[in-house]
Amino acid sequence: MSLPCTSSSVGMARVLKLLAVGVVVQSVFFTSPSTAISPLLSSTSVPPSATFLTVNQCEEYPVPQLNFVERSKIPLDCRCPNGYIAVHPHEQTNKALCVGIRAAGPWQDGCVQSGTATDYYDLDVNELGKVRELLLRMNVSECWISARRLLKYGELVRRLPGARWNAPVEVLKLPGADYSNDRDCAAVRIDQQSVQLSYQNCSAILPQLCVYREGSLLQLHCEANEFTTRYSSHQRYCFSIRKSSLNTIRILRLAMKTNSSFVIDNNRKGQLLIEMYDASKDCSDGSNVIYADQKDYTHHAHRRDVSDINSMSSRDISEIRDLIPIISSDPRDFACIAKQRVQIDSDSLVTLDGTCPGMYLYFDKARHKLFLTVYGGRWFWREDTSNNGFVCFTNINDEQLHSLKVKKLSASHVKTEEPENRVMYKVKLEEYGPPRPYWCEAHLVPNFTLIKTDIVLAQRKPDCRRYFSATIELVLNRSCTRAPDTLRLKDYDERIDEYIKNRRKQLPNLKHIFAAIKTINTKRVENFWTSASNDWYTVRLLLHIVAKCAKKWNKAELLEPESNEIGKLSFIVSASFIPGSCN
């Protein structure tokens, strides 16, 4: 007799009894290690006013009152975000290895506002040496890094903004975690001979190490060919440098009147001008020897007299290569002009139609599809314009956090009467299985505010499968196993798989029922305790069982009420346990 895919009787109750498993059904499937609200451990954002122990000296030096911008005269710290100091310049680039040390406190997302994509575990040997030297000089023997565990038994993930937000930190080789003491955050210990990575309780009071080696400019919310800063301090502005259709004289007159000229009123703005100039396709011709000066805090463009160039010595010509040309040395050429404008002029990003940046997840139960609606996506921080600016997640169990693929829906799938700043995406659901929690996260400009969607339970359309939740008690011999809180979920899976294989051999007449079990996976360690004799551990585990359609089950088995399918409240109880093997 063939079993229809929609049948409510799969005979799993009989299978569980034969396996001697104590079962309790969960009315709602959730792999959360803590609460039914969020599948993640708590994480704290750092307040903007957090104190740096390192002092950025970009503005400690006076702004040169010269009629040009000279690279070598701009302090190296201007290549770093506020609070960071340059410990090693990168030759032939505008970048430097920068380090920021935050004052001691509990673990926080303290490096996010710099926009860095670099942490301690990304550095090469030479860079690690520079960072270690600084920490020793500052008498910092232990500090947080931007990595922590978000799932109770999960791996460390990156806590830096961008497309790799919450991505696994695969390069870190840390000792076994002590899950029982909630050691979920990563720290680094430094002494004269070595550096050691370790897990620590996130409430411990330690300084935090932040590392930065990126350039200063990104497009973000600005228009094409415009830039703003990667870090938060200047993200309200958009900067540009481009050729103008006006001749040199008209450019000079315009610069005297306009309030949109690029103002070099501090050293950091000089560094930004250098980086804009080098990034420009039209204005970075090294043969143009034109200077920029500043008068009354207004940036003007001036042409250097060609006769002066002809009279220069080779040494002088070599020196001026370090200067920033703004317009062509030939007055007949079109000029290049640097501009700035205010893009964000208030603390609110609410648009004229009343919407503000946000994300909303919706699970279409009829079609078993998950959709994400994004409002104000231009205000989402992204390292590259091709990135979505958000990442969506699900957790398979208490160990695995997965980022998900999304597909932007074409305009034909979106109602035209909706706001123009609305974009819809389809989120790819994980493989077939019980409902899982899904959510998305993003950072906003200009202050890297973290926004999250509500958590939505979703699943693919069932493909002739049934899903069950079971609680078992696994007995382990203490003499031949590690403590339960040091075992991974896959370690428990191996022991259960071994037991199932043995039972299948012992009960050959039920092989067709065993064949109906597609997968059994450990999802959570609920609790564990030691026997009175101290010889055994008893570990209570939450399992998820996937059963497929079977064709050989007899009518009597099909008539047995299915009482433990996920989503139904009932119980199957057995007094037996699954013994753990010493192998």
Side-chain angles (χ1 to χ4, degrees):
M1 177 178 179
S2 176
L3 181 65
C5 294
T6 57
S7 171
S8 63
S9 298
V10 189
M12 186 54 63
R14 177 172 171 79
V15 175
L16 291 174
K17 289 178 180 178
L18 291 169
L19 296 179
V21 177
V23 177
V24 57
V25 177
Q26 309 298 312
S27 59
V28 178
F29 166 78
F30 224 86
T31 58
S32 167
S34 52
T35 70
I37 298 176
S38 173
L40 303 181
L41 301 175
S42 61
S43 179
T44 307
S45 297
V46 67
S49 59
T51 304
F52 277 98
L53 301 179
T54 44
V55 179
N56 184 289
Q57 296 185 331
C58 176
E59 306 303 341
E60 295 296 317
Y61 301 91
V63 180
Q65 300 297 314
L66 302 173
N67 64 335
F68 53 83
V69 177
E70 190 171 0
R71 296 173 189 263
S72 61
K73 294 297 190 294
I74 297 178
L76 285 177
D77 281 1
C78 294
R79 304 182 184 188
C80 309
N82 291 333
Y84 291 62
I85 62 174
V87 297
H88 180 64
H90 291 166
E91 299 298 334
Q92 309 302 322
T93 73
N94 293 311
K95 302 176 183 178
L97 175 62
C98 306
V99 177
I101 308 295
R102 286 190 175 273
W107 189 96
Q108 295 174 317
D109 288 322
C111 306
V112 169
Q113 287 198 331
S114 69
T116 182
T118 306
D119 201 12
Y120 183 85
Y121 42 80
D122 297 312
L123 303 179
D124 61 32
V125 174
N126 292 331
E127 292 171 326
L128 287 173
K130 297 291 183 182
V131 173
R132 183 168 170 270
E133 289 175 7
L134 174 65
L135 294 174
L136 290 174
R137 287 201 307 269
M138 297 182 65
N139 294 319
V140 176
S141 59
E142 187 173 16
C143 54
W144 298 121
I145 60 175
S146 295
R148 63 157 298 160
R149 181 171 37 244
L150 290 178
L151 299 175
K152 187 174 182 181
Y153 299 98
E155 56 197 341
L156 290 174
V157 298
R158 302 173 65 93
R159 297 295 287 180
L160 298 175
R164 293 194 293 167
W165 175 252
N166 288 342
V169 184
E170 298 176 352
V171 296
L172 283 185
K173 302 298 182 184
L174 289 171
D178 186 354
Y179 300 113
S180 62
N181 292 329
D182 296 325
R183 296 179 180 269
D184 297 315
C185 293
V188 59
R189 294 176 181 172
I190 306 98
D191 58 32
Q192 294 290 344
Q193 287 76 35
S194 64
V195 176
Q196 181 182 3
L197 294 165
S198 65
Y199 289 99
Q200 295 294 338
N201 188 297
C202 298
S203 61
I205 305 300
L206 297 173
Q208 183 159 20
L209 170 65
C210 299
V211 183
Y212 184 98
R213 59 181 180 185
E214 287 72 26
S216 300
L217 300 176
L218 291 177
Q219 180 179 331
L220 292 180
H221 52 81
C222 299
E223 303 296 336
N225 299 316
E226 288 187 327
F227 302 96
T228 188
T229 53
R230 185 185 189 101
Y231 42 80
S232 61
S233 62
H234 286 69
Q235 284 180 356
R236 294 181 180 274
Y237 298 92
C238 291
F239 309 111
S240 64
I241 181 172
R242 64 188 68 177
K243 280 192 175 182
S244 171
S245 59
L246 304 177
N247 62 32
T248 303
I249 301 301
R250 294 180 67 188
I251 284 289
L252 293 175
R253 290 174 178 171
L254 180 63
M256 296 292 291
K257 298 177 181 179
T258 183
N259 59 2
S260 64
S261 296
F262 187 89
V263 180
I264 307 180
D265 52 357
N266 56 57
N267 288 321
R268 187 172 298 278
K269 294 291 287 293
Q271 176 65 30
L272 296 181
L273 178 61
I274 287 175
E275 295 193 32
M276 278 198 298
Y277 168 76
D278 287 347
S280 170
K281 296 179 180 179
D282 299 325
C283 302
S284 58
D285 184 356
S287 63
N288 297 339
V289 189
I290 305 300
Y291 304 158
D293 73 357
Q294 50 179 337
K295 294 179 181 178
D296 299 327
Y297 297 102
T298 302
H299 174 75
H300 307 291
H302 283 265
R303 179 178 65 85
R304 183 178 180 86
D305 196 317
V306 177
S307 61
D308 290 346
I309 301 175
N310 295 333
S311 63
M312 285 183 178
S313 66
S314 59
R315 178 179 178 180
D316 291 336
I317 293 176
S318 175
E319 289 179 352
I320 66 173
R321 290 174 182 168
D322 195 35
L323 310 180
I324 299 301
I326 299 301
I327 58 177
S328 171
S329 58
D330 187 341
R332 295 170 297 180
D333 287 349
F334 290 130
C336 284
I337 183 170
K339 292 184 178 181
Q340 71 179 41
R341 64 183 180 87
V342 177
Q343 175 78 335
I344 303 174
D345 58 2
S346 68
D347 293 332
S348 174
L349 293 174
V350 177
T351 59
L352 294 177
D353 59 14
T355 61
C356 60
M359 301 183 294
Y360 305 91
L361 269 181
Y362 169 72
F363 178 53
D364 186 333
K365 295 182 180 179
R367 294 187 290 170
H368 286 268
K369 292 184 178 181
L370 184 62
F371 297 100
L372 174 69
T373 303
V374 172
Y375 291 93
R378 73 175 301 172
W379 308 112
F380 288 19
W381 190 95
R382 50 173 63 81
E383 191 168 13
D384 189 278
T385 54
S386 63
N387 294 340
N388 294 318
F390 61 85
V391 189
C392 295
F393 304 97
T394 187
N395 61 309
I396 305 302
N397 51 36
D398 279 359
E399 283 191 2
Q400 297 171 285
L401 183 67
H402 283 195
S403 59
L404 304 167
K405 294 181 179 180
V406 299
K407 181 181 180 181
K408 184 178 179 180
L409 298 182
S410 62
S412 60
H413 290 83
V414 182
K415 295 181 180 180
T416 55
E417 63 267 20
E418 293 292 337
E420 293 183 359
N421 64 345
R422 173 182 181 264
V423 180
M424 290 190 67
Y425 299 84
K426 183 171 73 172
V427 181
K428 183 178 180 181
L429 296 174
E430 276 297 316
E431 295 301 321
Y432 297 102
R436 294 189 177 98
Y438 290 83
W439 72 98
C440 303
E441 302 183 12
H443 289 94
L444 300 180
V445 295
N447 296 315
F448 289 89
T449 301
L450 178 63
I451 62 171
K452 302 179 183 180
T453 64
D454 290 335
I455 292 173
V456 173
L457 290 176
Q459 68 179 131
R460 286 191 178 186
K461 186 176 181 180
D463 184 19
C464 203
R465 290 175 172 86
R466 289 295 184 187
Y467 309 102
F468 304 87
S469 177
T471 298
I472 70 166
E473 290 178 351
L474 177 67
V475 178
L476 301 173
N477 190 327
R478 290 193 65 187
S479 64
C480 57
T481 187
R482 304 197 310 271
D485 57 351
T486 65
L487 294 174
R488 303 290 296 272
L489 298 186
K490 62 182 180 181
D491 297 326
Y492 292 110
D493 285 342
E494 291 174 359
R495 286 166 167 77
I496 293 171
D497 287 343
E498 180 184 359
Y499 177 77
I500 295 295
K501 290 178 182 178
N502 292 334
R503 294 292 284 172
R504 185 170 184 167
K505 293 177 182 178
Q506 296 168 5
L507 301 169
N509 58 315
L510 297 177
K511 64 180 181 180
H512 59 289
I513 296 181
F514 282 103
I517 301 176
K518 190 170 181 64
T519 60
I520 298 180
N521 295 115
T522 306
K523 295 297 180 179
R524 185 185 308 159
V525 178
E526 298 281 1
N527 199 0
F528 71 91
W529 56 92
T530 307
S531 65
S533 63
N534 282 332
D535 294 332
W536 302 90
Y537 291 117
T538 301
V539 187
R540 182 170 294 159
L541 303 174
L542 175 66
L543 305 183
H544 285 159
I545 303 170
V546 181
K548 58 185 178 180
C549 294
K551 298 181 179 180
K552 297 183 179 180
W553 294 11
N554 60 39
K555 187 174 182 179
E557 290 170 330
L558 293 177
L559 291 176
E560 182 177 1
E562 183 50 76
S563 57
N564 80 314
E565 187 174 355
I566 288 178
K568 299 179 181 180
L569 284 173
S570 57
F571 300 90
I572 299 175
V573 180
S574 173
S576 301
F577 302 104
I578 295 181
S581 171
C582 281
N583 296 330

